[in-house]
Amino acid sequence: MVKSDINRADIKYNFLKKIIIRFDFQGMDESELDSIISEIGIYLRKEENGYISKNIEISRKMDFDVDDPELIEKEGLFAKNVREQKVYVFKNRDPQVEFQISSTFAVISIDKTKYVDCLQYCKTLIYIMKIVMEKIPYFYCLRFGLRKINQCFLFDINTINNYFEKSHYQIYRFGKNSRIKTVEHTDHMFIENYNLNLTRTIVHGKMEEKDAYQINLDADLYLLGDEEVKRIIQNQSCVKNMNDILFELYRDSITEEFLQQLMDGTFDSNLVKGVMKND
């Protein structure tokens, strides 16, 4: 089967480790957030959503002189000052799922060792953002991002292109005595009307008392601007399109040989670690 014919349902094994679904916004102060948090909590408490507890944390937020909110996460860059920010944290019955909301962001984080369909969590977050849009008069969207981090481990770095395409993972060596410590490649690009940060890293370490290499594939697809982001809130098919693009990026990075092994489970678990069955 050629790559382009392989769809998500064909793949029975994966190495997806984290999903982050996040809105960044402005125009809401903490008193306004306090006034709607009860309604948000009631919705999250519903059986189908599965959230079982709430607490408040205080985070330290950097203020920036830049327009692009993707730089907000790079602490210390162009910072004007640091201020404390109240964050409501909702825990799910699934301990690997968490929802957070503050006056400037809302995020669902999913730490999974097995495949999960992120669209159900996108639906939950978008419903909450509709509540915010309806109740907060000066609410203004900055960014919506869907990010997936895949991770596995290899013992023999010389086999990396048996698993991942050379176009995505290339290793430079300087003479026979050179050894890999860390490799990182990041591309910033446009795909359709979306922005993409695609990062591939290789990190040398130890596993089972042997040399091992952590292979990361980190894809962050996002939209910027109030009009573009509100289109996501009003039309959830846009999120499905983003999720499909992320799958195509994942598929494109993996060799046909490894894709076939992820379909039928014939990969050697002694050579590649961190690959899990979907169910």
Side-chain angles (χ1 to χ4, degrees):
M1 183 181 293
V2 297
K3 271 191 180 186
S4 58
D5 292 334
I6 297 173
N7 60 48
R8 189 180 282 108
D10 294 324
I11 298 177
K12 308 303 181 186
Y13 293 80
N14 80 93
F15 48 100
L16 178 64
K17 295 299 182 285
K18 191 176 186 71
I19 303 172
I20 301 169
I21 312 158
R22 175 169 173 143
F23 283 93
D24 290 279
F25 43 80
Q26 61 187 27
M28 175 167 65
D29 60 39
E30 289 190 349
S31 64
E32 289 175 313
L33 175 60
D34 293 341
S35 71
I36 62 173
I37 200 64
S38 177
E39 184 176 353
I40 291 172
I42 290 170
Y43 171 71
L44 290 173
R45 187 73 180 181
K46 289 183 177 181
E47 180 67 24
E48 63 267 27
N49 294 323
Y51 290 86
I52 58 175
S53 69
K54 177 189 76 175
N55 64 289
I56 298 173
E57 297 180 357
I58 302 299
S59 71
R60 294 174 65 81
K61 179 181 182 297
M62 310 293 289
D63 290 330
F64 294 88
D65 277 327
V66 293
D67 295 327
D68 190 344
E70 72 176 293
L71 295 177
I72 290 174
E73 298 179 2
K74 298 181 180 178
E75 294 185 0
L77 185 63
F78 309 119
K80 294 188 296 183
N81 55 66
V82 180
R83 63 183 176 86
E84 292 187 340
Q85 182 179 42
K86 180 193 294 183
V87 181
Y88 287 95
V89 181
F90 293 82
K91 302 288 187 178
N92 197 281
R93 72 167 68 92
D94 182 341
Q96 296 174 313
V97 178
E98 182 179 273
F99 168 70
Q100 296 184 12
I101 187 168
S102 74
S103 60
T104 59
F105 70 84
V107 59
I108 291 180
S109 301
I110 308 157
D111 294 290
K112 284 289 187 179
T113 55
K114 293 192 176 182
Y115 177 77
V116 60
D117 181 1
C118 72
L119 294 180
Q120 60 179 309
Y121 298 101
C122 291
K123 181 179 178 181
T124 299
L125 186 55
I126 287 172
Y127 185 90
I128 291 169
M129 296 313 300
K130 287 181 178 179
I131 294 175
V132 176
M133 280 180 60
E134 291 171 0
K135 300 296 175 66
I136 308 304
Y138 295 103
F139 176 75
Y140 185 91
C141 293
L142 296 174
R143 185 187 195 271
F144 170 74
L146 181 57
R147 181 179 179 187
K148 295 189 177 184
I149 302 172
N150 292 270
Q151 181 185 96
C152 66
F153 298 85
L154 299 176
F155 289 112
D156 184 357
I157 195 60
N158 295 311
T159 67
I160 189 169
N161 294 129
N162 294 341
Y163 301 93
F164 298 94
E165 296 287 4
K166 290 182 180 179
S167 57
H168 288 67
Y169 292 86
Q170 289 191 8
I171 297 174
Y172 170 74
R173 290 181 173 86
F174 184 75
K176 62 181 181 180
N177 293 322
S178 66
R179 292 183 297 161
I180 298 300
K181 183 178 179 182
T182 303
V183 178
E184 180 173 354
H185 300 286
T186 300
D187 293 306
H188 306 282
M189 65 182 75
F190 297 110
I191 298 179
E192 299 177 8
N193 61 321
Y194 306 107
N195 300 267
L196 173 69
N197 299 328
L198 182 64
T199 301
R200 290 88 70 207
T201 60
I202 304 169
V203 182
H204 174 258
K206 292 286 185 180
M207 176 180 281
E208 300 174 358
E209 300 182 351
K210 296 185 291 186
D211 284 332
Y213 298 86
Q214 182 188 92
I215 314 299
N216 299 306
L217 176 66
D218 182 346
D220 183 15
L221 193 65
Y222 61 97
L223 286 168
L224 295 173
D226 185 61
E227 184 176 337
E228 290 292 328
V229 176
K230 283 180 177 174
R231 187 177 300 124
I232 288 282
I233 299 173
Q234 296 159 355
N235 182 2
Q236 294 186 35
S237 65
C238 295
V239 180
K240 182 181 182 304
N241 186 46
M242 293 177 71
N243 194 42
D244 290 342
I245 291 172
L246 287 176
F247 174 73
E248 291 173 14
L249 288 164
Y250 170 79
R251 183 180 61 190
D252 189 55
S253 71
I254 300 173
T255 63
E256 287 188 23
E257 177 185 2
F258 191 30
L259 281 170
Q260 184 62 48
Q261 293 171 358
L262 294 173
M263 292 166 62
D264 58 27
T266 56
F267 59 90
D268 189 338
S269 60
N270 293 314
L271 300 179
V272 56
K273 296 286 187 179
V275 181
M276 305 293 294
K277 201 171 191 301
N278 288 354
D279 49 28

